[in-house]
């Protein structure tokens, strides 16, 4: 089974630009030289925090997406740890309308898990066209069937 990575096309560039500006804001604390020369500890700490959090934000934004491989489905969120769902834990994959945006329905694959976990919608694989979402659901079903045979 080949590894497939699906990334959000709009969200990643926007977040990268925002966190780049955030990082540059932190760098400006050090460019004038007054902060370091006068040993302004608040400014030094604030600059370091802005630079570190900005670089971390860029790194997290670039990693966003859904990874589908032999292990299962891995959802890489911006504000949380990777959520890995093994193929053995997935009972079925369905196409469901998960939201409505701008008056248009948003369809996405939904992983039906065991009794305790319930269902997990893969909004990163969502589409406004039901046929496109159904195609992704069929791909996930075939990956699940291939993993079951292995």
């Amino acid at each position: 089974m080949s590894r497939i990575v699906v990334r959000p096309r709009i969200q990643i560039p926007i977040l990268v630009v925002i966190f780049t500006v955030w990082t540059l804001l932190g760098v400006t604390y050090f460019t004038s030289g007054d902060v370091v020369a006068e040993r302004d500890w608040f400014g030094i700490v604030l600059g370091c925090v802005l630079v570190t959090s900005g670089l971390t934000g860029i790194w997290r934004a670039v990693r966003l997406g859904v990874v589908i491989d032999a292990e299962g489905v891995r959802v890489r969120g911006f504000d949380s740890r990777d959520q890995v769902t093994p193929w053995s834990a997935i009972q079925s994959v369905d196409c469901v309308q998960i939201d409505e945006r701008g008056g248009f329905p948003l369809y996405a694959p939904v992983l039906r898990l065991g009794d305790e976990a319930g269902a997990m919608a893969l909004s990163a694989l969502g589409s406004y066209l039901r046929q496109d979402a159904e195609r992704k659901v069929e791909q996930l079903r075939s990956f699940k069937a291939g993993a079951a045979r292995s």
Side-chain angles (χ1 to χ4, degrees):
M1 171 185 293
S2 61
R3 181 178 171 179
I4 297 174
V5 180
V6 180
R7 299 183 192 280
R9 293 182 216 152
I10 297 172
Q11 189 177 12
I12 289 175
I14 290 172
L15 287 171
V16 167
V17 167
I18 289 170
F19 282 103
T20 300
V21 170
W22 188 259
T23 303
L24 292 175
L25 182 65
V27 170
T28 59
Y29 275 98
F30 302 113
T31 55
S32 67
D34 293 340
V35 173
V36 178
E38 295 178 5
R39 292 195 174 117
D40 178 13
W41 293 110
F42 177 77
I44 291 171
V45 170
L46 183 61
C48 289
V49 167
L50 289 174
V51 169
T52 307
S53 63
L55 292 174
T56 304
I58 292 170
W59 179 71
R60 296 288 295 190
V62 171
R63 293 189 71 236
L64 277 175
V66 176
V67 178
I68 303 166
D69 58 9
E71 283 183 28
V73 179
R74 176 185 310 263
V75 178
R76 293 179 174 166
F78 180 77
D79 58 349
S80 62
R81 299 181 121 210
D82 293 358
Q83 185 176 10
V84 180
T85 306
W87 291 115
S88 60
I90 299 172
Q91 292 179 347
S92 67
V93 182
D94 299 319
C95 182
V96 177
Q97 178 181 343
I98 60 167
D99 198 5
E100 188 171 314
R101 296 180 184 166
F104 296 105
L106 180 67
Y107 300 98
V110 173
L111 305 177
R112 304 285 179 195
L113 307 173
D115 296 333
E116 297 172 12
M120 181 174 77
L122 299 176
S123 58
L125 299 178
S127 175
Y128 292 106
L129 298 173
R130 186 171 183 90
Q131 295 84 4
D132 188 34
E134 287 285 350
R135 183 180 52 81
K136 292 173 185 172
V137 166
E138 288 304 320
Q139 284 179 329
L140 287 170
R141 286 179 183 156
S142 67
F143 289 145
K144 179 178 174 13
R149 283 181 261 164
S150 302

